[in-house]
Amino acid sequence: MGIVTGAYTSVAMLIFLLSSAVVLALVFLLRRRPLGQSIAIAATMFLVGATLAARQRDELTARHMTVRQWQLEQKTPDASTRLGRSRLFFLKQRDRLLSHYQRQGVEGEAYAIVAAMALGDRSALDKDLRQTYNVSGAAHVLALSGMHIGIIYVLLSLLMSGRRRRIVTQVVLVVAIWGFVFLVGMPVSAVRAATMLSLYALLSLGYREKMSINALAFTALVILMVSPFTLFDIGFQMSYMAVLSILVWMPVLERWPSPSFLQRHRLVRWVWGLTAVSIAAQAGVAPLVAFYFGRVSTYFLLTNFLVLPAVTLILWIALATLFIAALSPVLTAVVVGLNTGLSIISRLPGSSIEGLHPTLLQVLLVYVLLLCIYWIISLVPSRQR
């Protein structure tokens, strides 16, 4: 709310209000009033966001740019800056890897999918292929995101699982992840995922709860303090709503069936875990998908059961293919199988509900309804046996 307010308020007024809020927060902190502390800190953070957003708005105004133009600019490296030159250097290395895949015999739609999933280059995707992934509800796998970064993190973790020095291992993993993010040109979604994963690795060193709502909020705070207008990025909104929804809903969904039953049946536990994660994530992003794209995919559960194992295989085999050329036919076969499965799902009757155009108020009311459903379900006692 602070960032939205800052987009329409002068910097001078916000700085004055921010100074007043800081003084008020210090007074309540010294007097040890919990309610007053919470209100003062919330007001301070609100005004910090508003002030930073107002400053960035003034910078864009001075450059005669809209928020949309600024978002597009972030995707294009600026050769006049050191960071931009670094991005251009790594993009050239990415092009070499893409050429390597083509020399290994990965061509056509298989190459387009591998380039998008493994290295973040979506230029080879044609209209029909994009439509298949959009209708089936698998479009998110074509953009490098938390899922892709997480799969790579797990793979590297398995390769280094025998190491005793946990600090060194986590540092190497984080450096490797950020090296990959640079290699693919530092897209916003990959930077966002790497930031969250870096915090996850840091928390794992202290044996704390690795990912919680507080940790998620902290990563969002860091990203928005650096660039407040990232809040208006569709990918940012959907990524954080998906993770937030998973963190909120999973503790409730994991209570059915009972833990003892899941421990006795590993296959059921895997199926239910994937189902619960899919439902939780869909609850968080479906209203936004309807608002921005005017559609909702109805077979998202079926799609996720196909996509998650396939994407994991594609990323792992794509990495191995860089060193073992004989794996390129296997990689192509997995991609073709995924595309065929998604094509079948996209042609099923009622695979996508089209023509949805909810207003912002309606989207907010849907989230309020979901919160009410969550509250009602949380009141139901869980099955212990």
Side-chain angles (χ1 to χ4, degrees):
M1 290 299 295
I3 293 175
V4 175
T5 303
Y8 304 98
T9 312
S10 66
V11 176
M13 179 183 297
L14 288 171
I15 291 177
F16 169 75
L17 294 174
L18 177 60
S19 302
S20 303
V22 170
V23 173
L24 183 63
L26 290 175
V27 170
F28 278 110
L29 287 173
L30 292 175
R31 297 185 63 181
R32 298 181 180 179
R33 299 280 183 87
L35 179 59
Q37 292 173 2
S38 300
I39 295 175
I41 292 174
T44 302
M45 296 307 300
F46 175 88
L47 291 170
V48 167
T51 304
L52 293 174
R55 292 182 62 180
Q56 187 171 12
R57 181 207 60 198
D58 291 346
E59 292 175 1
L60 296 183
T61 301
R63 298 172 59 187
H64 305 287
M65 294 180 64
T66 64
V67 175
R68 179 57 181 168
Q69 290 172 333
W70 172 80
Q71 291 174 343
L72 294 175
E73 184 185 66
Q74 302 305 301
K75 300 180 181 179
T76 306
D78 184 2
S80 64
T81 64
R82 181 175 299 180
L83 178 61
R85 289 191 294 270
S86 298
R87 291 179 64 185
L88 288 172
F89 169 79
F90 282 106
L91 285 175
K92 290 181 181 179
Q93 308 311 310
R94 184 185 72 171
D95 291 339
R96 292 182 180 179
L97 293 177
L98 292 172
S99 299
H100 181 76
Y101 282 123
Q102 291 178 318
R103 290 195 299 270
Q104 300 289 7
V106 182
E107 300 176 342
E109 291 187 350
Y111 168 78
I113 296 301
V114 171
M117 289 186 184
L119 293 171
D121 180 15
R122 295 190 288 178
S123 59
L125 295 170
D126 59 36
K127 183 178 179 180
D128 292 337
L129 196 56
R130 289 175 183 266
Q131 181 68 7
T132 296
Y133 276 71
N134 288 334
V135 174
S136 63
H140 59 283
V141 304
L142 297 178
L144 287 175
S145 60
M147 182 179 69
H148 302 74
I149 303 297
I151 291 173
I152 295 172
Y153 177 85
V154 170
L155 174 60
L156 295 177
S157 298
L158 292 175
L159 294 176
M160 302 183 66
S161 59
R163 303 297 186 271
R164 292 184 178 181
R165 297 182 177 180
R166 297 179 64 254
I167 296 179
V168 175
T169 299
Q170 292 300 327
V171 169
V172 171
L173 289 174
V174 170
V175 170
I177 289 298
W178 279 103
F180 173 76
V181 171
F182 271 94
L183 178 64
V184 297
M186 297 185 68
V188 176
S189 58
V191 172
R192 188 166 53 238
T195 302
M196 295 177 63
L197 201 57
S198 299
L199 179 62
Y200 176 92
L202 178 63
L203 293 175
S204 69
L205 297 177
Y207 299 96
R208 297 171 62 89
E209 186 179 358
K210 294 182 179 181
M211 184 51 68
S212 63
I213 294 178
N214 287 338
L216 181 68
F218 178 76
T219 60
L221 179 64
V222 171
I223 293 173
L224 293 176
M225 287 186 69
V226 174
S227 180
F229 278 8
T230 303
L231 178 66
F232 303 106
D233 181 78
I234 298 175
F236 176 87
Q237 296 174 14
M238 295 185 65
S239 295
Y240 275 90
M241 283 306 301
V243 178
L244 176 62
S245 185
I246 291 173
L247 292 175
V248 170
W249 281 97
M250 282 303 292
V252 175
L253 296 176
E254 285 178 339
R255 299 187 305 179
W256 294 276
S258 65
S260 59
F261 176 81
L262 293 179
Q263 289 176 359
R264 293 193 304 267
H265 303 83
R266 293 186 178 182
L267 178 60
V268 176
R269 180 174 61 188
W270 180 82
V271 171
W272 176 245
L274 183 55
T275 301
V277 169
S278 300
I279 293 174
Q282 187 72 7
V285 302
L288 291 177
V289 172
F291 180 74
Y292 286 114
F293 305 109
R295 68 153 55 100
V296 171
S297 300
T298 54
Y299 298 116
F300 65 91
L301 278 178
L302 182 59
T303 296
N304 285 338
F305 274 103
L306 174 64
V307 162
L308 293 180
V311 171
T312 302
L313 284 175
I314 289 171
L315 291 178
W316 288 13
I317 299 174
L319 178 60
T321 303
L322 294 175
F323 307 98
I324 306 175
L327 291 176
S328 58
V330 179
L331 178 61
T332 300
V334 174
V335 175
V336 170
L338 173 62
N339 290 346
T340 302
L342 293 179
S343 178
I344 293 173
I345 293 174
S346 67
R347 293 196 299 268
L348 291 175
S351 60
S352 178
I353 303 175
E354 306 285 343
L356 300 176
H357 300 288
T359 64
L360 180 59
L361 176 60
Q362 290 172 329
V363 171
L364 293 176
L365 290 176
V366 170
Y367 283 119
V368 171
L369 176 62
L370 289 173
L371 285 175
C372 293
I373 294 174
Y374 167 80
W375 178 72
I376 293 172
I377 294 177
S378 63
L379 295 178
V380 179
S382 61
R383 296 176 58 186
Q384 300 298 327
R385 300 182 181 273

